[in-house]
Amino acid sequence: MSAREEILGRIRTALGEHRAPVPDIVRGYRTADGRPTTELLDVLVDRLEDYKATVVRCLADEVAGTVATALQAALGAHSHGDVVVAPGLPAEWRPDGAVEDDGRPAVALAEHAATVTGVTVAVADTGTLVLDGSPRCGRRALSLLPDCLVCVVTSDQVVGGVPEGLARLDPRAPLTLISGPSATSDIELQRVEGVHGPRTLVVVLVT
């Protein structure tokens, strides 16, 4: 018997044989948002900046240049090899000379200063970016180990609330939800950044 089977068996024993039926759960969540896209983008930017992320807007044909400028501002002088990108990141989004993640051991990703990925969906109300492990987002370690994360978000990926965002996602995918740089205030309520992930989050918003 596995540990899972043993735990479930104990729960069934504790509940007994004559259990009340599980009531239906009312799921009256708001699954659509009537706000215009421009308003949703403004809300997303407001939330992200409140979380101490840096947001830069650009047009579709300006992504690579905007990413390169953002990396220069975040890292200062750096070599092209300091930046690693998700394997499915569009060629026109990649900064010159960036290294593509080729599945190398995860610990080797920490040798890079920054990562560039796409996202699957962005939730305006919570300022949350969701990465799902797809080629454009890359594996989870890619968004956690380098100290600077640059995410490219297109306006059609921005939704109003969490239920609307979840409806776009595959619940079986390895989802990573990002709301600002990694930080904690567990000790003496003093904010410390970079504890569990990148200290710097840059969002390139394509409008």
Side-chain angles (χ1 to χ4, degrees), residues 32-201:
D33 198 302
R35 289 174 288 182
T37 300
T38 53
E39 183 176 341
L40 293 179
L41 298 182
D42 288 342
V43 173
L44 176 66
V45 171
D46 177 75
R47 301 293 189 275
L48 286 167
E49 291 181 339
D50 191 46
Y51 298 149
K52 301 187 184 303
T54 299
V55 183
V56 289
R57 302 192 193 213
C58 70
L59 300 176
D61 59 352
E62 300 172 339
V63 175
T66 304
V67 168
T69 301
L71 288 167
Q72 181 66 33
L75 304 178
H78 64 279
S79 65
H80 293 323
D82 287 338
V83 181
V84 59
V85 302
L89 196 74
E92 61 271 23
W93 289 5
R94 302 184 180 201
D96 291 340
V99 176
E100 181 176 294
D101 180 24
D102 55 3
R104 66 196 65 190
V107 68
L109 294 171
E111 299 172 0
H112 298 279
T115 293
V116 183
T117 77
V119 308
T120 303
V121 67
V123 181
D125 284 345
T126 60
T128 303
L129 312 178
V130 185
L131 282 62
D132 66 353
S134 62
R136 181 175 291 201
C137 296
R139 52 181 167 156
R140 178 170 288 162
L142 191 60
S143 64
L144 295 177
L145 291 176
D147 201 32
C148 174
L149 174 62
V150 179
C151 289
V152 181
V153 180
T154 58
S155 58
D156 62 324
Q157 294 177 310
V158 180
V159 299
V162 172
E164 190 178 359
L166 292 177
R168 293 193 181 193
L169 300 169
D170 181 352
R172 299 165 297 181
L175 302 177
T176 301
L177 281 65
I178 300 169
S179 296
S182 171
T184 180
S185 299
D186 287 348
I187 301 175
E188 301 293 339
L189 297 179
Q190 298 295 315
R191 180 181 170 94
V192 178
E193 297 179 345
V195 178
H196 307 296
R199 285 182 293 182
T200 302
L201 173 64

Side-chain angles (χ1 to χ4, degrees), residues 3-13:
R4 179 177 184 275
E5 292 168 336
E6 182 178 353
I7 292 170
L8 291 176
R10 291 188 180 187
I11 292 173
R12 293 190 189 96
T13 299

